[in-house]
Amino acid sequence: MSGFLIVSFFTTDTPYVEVMREHLGASVERLGVPHRLYAVEPQGSWRKNVSLKPSVILRALEEHPEQDVVFIDADGTLETYPALFDAVPDEYDIAAHYLNWNDWYGYTDDPPTLELLSGTMFFRNTAGVKSLVRQWHADTMISGHREREQKILQRLLQPERVYRLPLAYCWIATLPNGTPPRAARPDPVVVSHAQVSRHLHAVVNAIQEPA
């Protein structure tokens, strides 16, 4: 293997062209990190566009067999070099952050809800991982886009087999209502996410509605 490749995608003829340029595209260029950013055709709605994520990851794994794949959403920004992706222990083939709802929202559930976040993920380039991503893609298509791809992936994964990325690799500055999360901001933040979908999903849906 020759290190990792940052991978993402954006839909053409949508605001995500500019989102990619301003966020992930600018940061990978600034840091000089190897990357592949795919331009894909819009699928008719924001939810259908998001459902392309597993197929893009699979494409990258197949087109770059000598590199592991790190997927980051288009609105992600590499604030500094993501050194942890050079050091994921060999016994783990996938790395992701599980958001603890008690820490994030201030809930007191026992046990706490742990939500897989698919905005920043590491995939080791192995036959087993490619098989898993194919299943993820198939199940996402079977769902008819009614369910978010990250929820489908969370069901497929065995949590104990996933290397837990720290919050610094999937930092979101605000809650959906615009207020700060209960969790403290990591120092330093490695990957931040702007969460532009909170306002752009309606814009994208309007653009792609049939005339």
Side-chain angles (χ1 to χ4, degrees):
M1 289 290 175
S2 57
F4 64 87
L5 180 73
I6 300 290
V7 169
S8 191
F9 73 99
F10 60 95
T11 44
T12 58
D13 301 316
T14 73
Y16 279 90
V17 175
E18 191 62 25
V19 169
M20 178 65 80
R21 182 181 298 118
E22 292 183 354
H23 293 274
L24 186 59
S27 65
V28 293
E29 291 288 349
R30 172 174 51 84
L31 292 172
V33 181
H35 58 277
R36 182 73 185 273
L37 310 179
Y38 292 95
V40 300
E41 292 292 324
Q43 301 299 297
S45 72
W46 178 84
R47 178 63 65 87
K48 290 179 180 178
N49 293 345
V50 172
S51 295
L52 293 170
K53 186 179 294 188
S55 65
V56 168
I57 293 169
L58 180 60
R59 178 179 175 183
L61 288 166
E62 292 178 335
E63 291 181 352
H64 302 275
E66 295 304 314
Q67 291 175 287
D68 297 323
V69 165
V70 171
F71 182 89
I72 299 176
D73 282 340
D75 69 348
T77 297
L78 282 173
E79 306 291 353
T80 188
Y81 181 78
L84 187 54
F85 295 129
D86 287 319
V88 175
D90 291 342
E91 61 265 31
Y92 296 99
D93 288 338
I94 292 177
H97 180 72
Y98 281 80
L99 188 71
N100 183 312
W101 283 19
N102 286 4
D103 296 341
W104 193 249
Y105 297 108
Y107 297 159
T108 57
D109 298 337
D110 184 18
T113 295
L114 298 178
E115 178 188 9
L116 174 77
L117 300 185
S118 66
T120 304
M121 296 183 292
F122 168 93
F123 296 86
R124 205 176 298 282
N125 206 327
T126 68
V129 168
K130 282 182 277 195
S131 178
L132 172 70
V133 176
R134 288 190 190 96
Q135 187 64 56
W136 179 24
H137 172 62
D139 288 359
T140 300
M141 294 300 101
I142 290 170
S143 79
H145 315 288
R146 292 183 297 274
E147 188 174 22
R148 283 290 304 275
E149 39 72 30
Q150 72 177 23
K151 289 186 177 180
I152 294 171
L153 179 60
Q154 182 162 0
R155 283 203 306 273
L156 290 173
L157 292 174
Q158 300 176 37
E160 68 276 9
R161 302 292 299 276
V162 178
Y163 184 70
R164 303 300 177 94
L165 295 177
L167 184 57
Y169 277 72
C170 207
W171 172 250
I172 302 167
T174 62
L175 300 177
N177 64 7
T179 62
R182 293 296 185 91
R185 177 184 172 88
D187 184 19
V189 169
V190 180
V191 183
S192 63
H193 289 272
Q195 292 292 286
V196 300
S197 63
R198 291 175 182 171
H199 65 273
L200 282 187
H201 76 274
V203 175
V204 170
N205 286 342
I207 291 172
Q208 298 183 50
E209 283 179 352

